[in-house]
Amino acid sequence: MIDYQNVTLDCSVNGPILRNLTFTIQEGEFFVLIGPSGCGKTTTLKLINRLLEQTDGDILFQGKRLKDYNLRELRLETGYVLQQIALFPNMTVAENIALIPEMKGMDKAAILEKTRELLTKVGLEPDQYLNRLPKDLSGGERQRIGILRAIIANPKVLLMDEPFSALDPISRSQLQDLIKALHQEFGMTTVFVTHDMDEAVKLADRICLMKEGQVLQIGSPDELRHHPADDFVTEFMQTSGGAK
């Protein structure tokens, strides 16, 4: 579904940020990008919705080059969940969730019905939450709303950039279980950035381990555990908890 073809991003005096990335993310896959801080995983993610543009190579989305898509249309088909839980503070829960479907021209009654259904699905009673403002929510609740805002309009791909790293361990575990259940139900192609190998192992169909802007190994959690490509992969799995 998403094909990176010799993708390089070189915009600094210190050399390329990304170096000749070539891999494919399959439709319906939960694909996790992981690696040390500064390895390029978030940069790799941001190329998909063109928040950044590569300097060389191509990225294909459903067989068509990303650069050939209308940018607005591309982003309307791409859900995006950030660590910062970027809800609009002056808008209610219902208004935040309705943003993208309204931009896509969906019927308001249908949006409200779907919003109520999704709130119930993530354990938030609609009558209690629809008219709340973000300031009245906990961090875990705000992130649930952020996820619903990203998926309500059925995007073709969901991008998640360390969405749970700022949460307490209990909320983080709950949201990992939630996003795994939502992925299993909706089958949405998901690209997820984390620095936590335990999280990657729990969620991923395949893990892409990066270092210094390059891909070291792509495989299932078991493949990285039992057949590491090199000593760095072995060490990263062990020190990050993924060797369990």
Side-chain angles (χ1 to χ4, degrees), residues 114-200:
K114 185 68 172 178
T115 297
R116 296 181 68 90
E117 175 190 334
L118 288 173
L119 283 169
T120 301
K121 195 177 293 292
V122 301
L124 300 177
E125 172 56 45
D127 290 336
Q128 295 181 23
Y129 283 90
L130 279 170
N131 294 314
R132 289 190 185 181
L133 292 171
K135 68 181 179 63
D136 300 318
L137 306 175
S138 69
E141 289 169 342
R142 288 197 298 273
Q143 200 58 296
R144 279 175 163 80
I145 302 307
I147 291 169
L148 298 188
R149 184 176 66 180
I151 70 172
I152 187 171
N154 298 314
K156 293 177 181 176
V157 60
L158 176 62
L159 307 179
M160 307 189 77
D161 189 3
E162 301 204 51
F164 310 143
S165 61
L167 302 177
D168 64 87
I170 293 175
S171 296
R172 182 170 188 163
S173 179
Q174 290 173 341
L175 283 171
Q176 288 168 353
D177 292 338
L178 171 63
I179 197 63
K180 188 169 185 176
L182 291 173
H183 180 260
Q184 289 172 346
E185 179 173 352
F186 296 111
M188 195 174 300
T189 305
T190 302
V191 186
F192 188 102
V193 168
T194 182
H195 62 271
D196 183 337
M197 186 59 82
D198 281 338
E199 184 168 69

Side-chain angles (χ1 to χ4, degrees), residues 26-42:
Q26 304 294 338
E27 186 167 3
E29 183 173 34
F30 202 115
F31 190 86
V32 174
L33 294 161
I34 193 167
S37 296
C39 71
K41 51 191 183 290
T42 291

